[in-house]
């Protein structure tokens, strides 16, 4: 693979991604063949934010590969509570281990961690920004249940503004030929412009609608998401949005026979329990594909990292990120870094425009 860390799935070429997906499919057929693939290797899970599936599936993946795990999911019980910086925690833990996975509530935190780690870093979710291994999960699932990753009409519903899973998924699926998107949300929860611009730049079409009913008859995939309560500025803003979208049996009856319903989970109230028994509901199977995807990713990153040079930070000393949710606002020692896009410079950590 051309990369040392997995911060954004788009760092991989489509060939590299498909290679990992192929490997995940092979592992799912013969998991026992891989039971010592990471023997004597140690993974640290640095979870600064709550998680069930992502944390446990990374841990299960490493243990099933014969490796070992250390980590925390309660930063309050670590030196973080004493004010230790991300840089210091990562520098130390990367010295103990062979791979780090990090989940953090602040955008760009995984990218920041990768600057100070001597081993590969995997972004397990950075605030409302990206969640590449959830997307890997989704792609492995689509390969297995929809039998393709191109020429799909993909509906995404719910909190498209704050949902990192849909941001990552959109950026990834826009690279496969012939996919188009239907964004189902209220105005307040609309997909960010930078994602819509990316989709357009890839030559894909998208439309924006307000209800599930008007979109569902045309969809091959319906990706439901939770309203991200923890990312709202206050409780009133959340209360105004919660419960707007509920997928139930009646709405499912409008969908195609081969519709594929996905959800990264956890579900709150956006999918009625009656839908669980519909054969088109794949969200529980999806969690299992996630573990196989992570097994494949861990094998590739660990086995190839010796040959990869650390990414050299492209410091842009004049660049100022104005996103209040960016890691550079909190960990102020981080070097300013930017990337060029057709619409101007964006912060290399959180992808926000400088203006
Ligand atoms: C998602 C996340 O953490 O972004 N969950 C997950 O990783 N499976 C989705 C969510 O929390 O709503």
């Amino acid at each position: 693979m051309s990369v040392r860390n997995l911060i954004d799935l788009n760092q991989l070429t489509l060939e590299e991604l498909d290679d990992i997906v192929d490997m995940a499919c092979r592992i799912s057929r013969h998991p026992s063949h891989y039971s010592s693939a990471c023997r004597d290797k140690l993974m640290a899970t640095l979870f600064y934010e709550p998680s069930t599936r992502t944390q446990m599936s990374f841990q299960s993946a490493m243990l099933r590969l014969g490796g070992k795990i250390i980590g925390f999911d309660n930063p309050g019980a670590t030196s973080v509570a004493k004010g230790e910086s991300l840089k210091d925690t990562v520098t130390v833990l990367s010295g103990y281990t062979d791979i780090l996975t990090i989940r953090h509530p602040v955008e760009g935190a995984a990218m920041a961690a990768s600057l100070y780690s001597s081993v590969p870093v995997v972004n397990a979710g950075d605030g409302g920004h990206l969640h590449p291994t959830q997307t890997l999960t989704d792609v492995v699932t689509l390969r297995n249940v929809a039998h393709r990753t191109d020429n799909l009409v993909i509906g995404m519903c719910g909190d498209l503004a704050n949902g990192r899973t849909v941001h990552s998924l959109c950026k990834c699926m826009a690279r496969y030929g012939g996919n188009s998107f239907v964004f189902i949300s209220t105005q307040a929860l609309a997909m960010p412009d930078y994602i819509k611009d990316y989709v357009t730049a890839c030559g894909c079409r998208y439309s924006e609608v307000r209800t599930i009913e008007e979109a569902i008859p045309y969809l091959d995939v319906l990706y439901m998401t939770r309203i991200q309560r923890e990312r709202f500025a206050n409780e009133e803003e959340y209360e105004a949005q919660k419960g707007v979208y509920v997928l139930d049996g009646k709405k499912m009856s409008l969908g195609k026979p081969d519709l594929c319903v996905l959800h990264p989970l956890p579900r709150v109230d956006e999918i009625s329990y009656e839908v669980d028994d519909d054969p088109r509901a794949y969200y529980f199977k999806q969690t299992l594909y996630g573990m196989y995807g992570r097994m494949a990713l861990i094998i590739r990153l660990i086995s190839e990292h010796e040959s990869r040079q650390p990414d050299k930070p492209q410091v842009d000393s004049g660049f100022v990120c104005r996103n209040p949710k960016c890691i550079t606002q909190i960990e102020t020692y981080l070097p300013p870094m930017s990337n060029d896009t057709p619409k101007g410079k964006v912060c290399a950590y959180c992808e926000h425009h400088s203006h």
Side-chain angles (χ1 to χ4, degrees):
M1 282 199 305
S2 53
V3 297
R4 187 172 186 272
N5 307 298
L6 191 75
I7 308 301
D8 178 340
L9 211 54
N10 282 14
Q11 293 169 296
L12 303 178
T13 64
L14 274 192
E15 291 69 35
E16 287 171 334
L17 173 59
D18 285 338
D19 219 44
I20 295 175
V21 174
D22 288 344
M23 188 177 195
C25 296
R26 288 198 298 278
I27 296 174
S28 74
R29 287 193 291 275
H30 302 289
S32 63
H33 292 188
Y34 298 83
S35 60
S36 51
C38 288
R39 203 177 49 207
D40 302 329
K41 300 292 182 192
L42 187 57
M43 179 175 75
T45 50
L46 281 56
F47 277 62
Y48 292 79
E49 198 184 49
S51 168
T52 306
R53 262 150 304 275
T54 306
Q55 185 184 189
M56 307 275 179
S57 76
F58 265 115
Q59 294 178 344
S60 312
M62 190 57 168
L63 292 170
R64 283 178 182 279
L65 294 170
K68 297 189 176 65
I69 51 172
I70 58 167
F72 60 78
D73 55 10
N74 177 9
T78 71
S79 288
V80 173
K82 300 179 188 168
E84 185 169 66
S85 67
L86 184 64
K87 173 180 178 177
D88 292 0
T89 306
V90 165
T91 304
V92 172
L93 288 178
S94 72
Y96 296 159
T97 55
D98 301 289
I99 186 164
L100 296 185
T101 60
I102 176 167
R103 167 168 288 195
H104 200 286
V106 181
E107 300 178 16
M111 157 78 174
S114 73
L115 300 179
Y116 304 107
S117 174
S118 53
V119 298
V121 172
V122 181
N123 182 4
D126 60 329
H129 182 217
L130 296 173
H131 193 348
T133 64
Q134 179 60 47
T135 300
L136 176 60
T137 299
D138 304 337
V139 176
V140 176
T141 307
L142 287 175
R143 181 77 85 69
N144 279 279
V145 305
H147 307 293
R148 65 185 196 278
T149 49
D150 56 5
N151 297 300
L152 293 166
V153 182
I154 303 167
M156 296 184 180
C157 176
D159 192 346
L160 309 185
N162 302 300
R164 56 194 172 197
T165 59
V166 282
H167 301 163
S168 275
L169 185 59
C170 230
K171 282 179 74 176
C172 175
M173 298 309 289
R175 297 201 295 162
Y176 287 104
N179 288 331
S180 61
F181 302 90
V182 184
F183 301 137
I184 309 162
S185 79
T186 60
Q187 199 169 6
L189 300 180
M191 190 61 93
D193 287 342
Y194 85 94
I195 299 284
K196 293 193 277 196
D197 291 343
Y198 187 87
V199 165
T200 309
C202 290
C204 294
R205 280 199 309 239
Y206 71 85
S207 58
E208 295 182 281
V209 302
R210 286 290 147 81
T211 65
I212 295 177
E213 288 89 329
E214 62 194 296
I216 198 168
Y218 308 101
L219 302 179
D220 299 309
V221 178
L222 174 55
Y223 199 93
M224 294 297 297
T225 63
R226 172 180 72 90
I227 310 296
Q228 308 276 299
R229 181 183 205 147
E230 67 278 24
R231 313 237 185 267
F232 283 80
N234 55 55
E235 195 61 17
E236 290 89 77
E237 282 185 26
Y238 168 70
E239 289 291 326
Q241 299 297 327
K242 78 166 199 203
V244 258
Y245 294 108
V246 180
L247 180 65
D248 56 16
K250 193 159 166 242
K251 291 179 192 124
M252 284 297 285
S253 71
L254 305 172
K256 290 186 190 176
D258 58 352
L259 171 69
C260 168
V261 178
L262 302 181
H263 190 309
L265 302 180
R267 140 175 73 181
V268 182
D269 53 8
E270 57 281 353
I271 301 183
S272 309
Y273 283 84
E274 63 185 359
V275 177
D276 297 355
D277 299 324
D278 190 304
R280 297 169 293 176
Y282 287 103
Y283 31 90
F284 291 117
K285 275 200 178 145
Q286 192 180 351
T287 61
L288 195 56
Y289 288 124
M291 184 185 71
Y292 296 125
R294 291 181 175 107
M295 286 170 82
L297 179 69
I298 292 169
I299 293 175
R300 297 303 296 268
L301 286 175
I302 287 188
S303 63
E304 293 175 25
H305 115 268
E306 303 293 334
S307 58
R308 299 273 158 259
Q309 293 302 316
D311 304 333
K312 274 230 162 56
Q314 298 295 322
V315 179
D316 179 353
S317 39
F319 184 83
V320 180
C321 180
R322 300 196 198 288
N323 174 14
K325 295 178 180 170
C326 179
I327 191 74
T328 54
Q329 310 284 350
I330 296 161
E331 308 271 334
T332 47
Y333 53 84
L334 289 167
M337 287 163 61
S338 67
N339 291 328
D340 288 320
T341 74
K343 289 205 166 174
K345 280 186 180 184
V346 297
C347 174
Y349 298 89
C350 70
E351 293 186 86
H352 274 252
H353 279 276
S354 50
H355 49 78

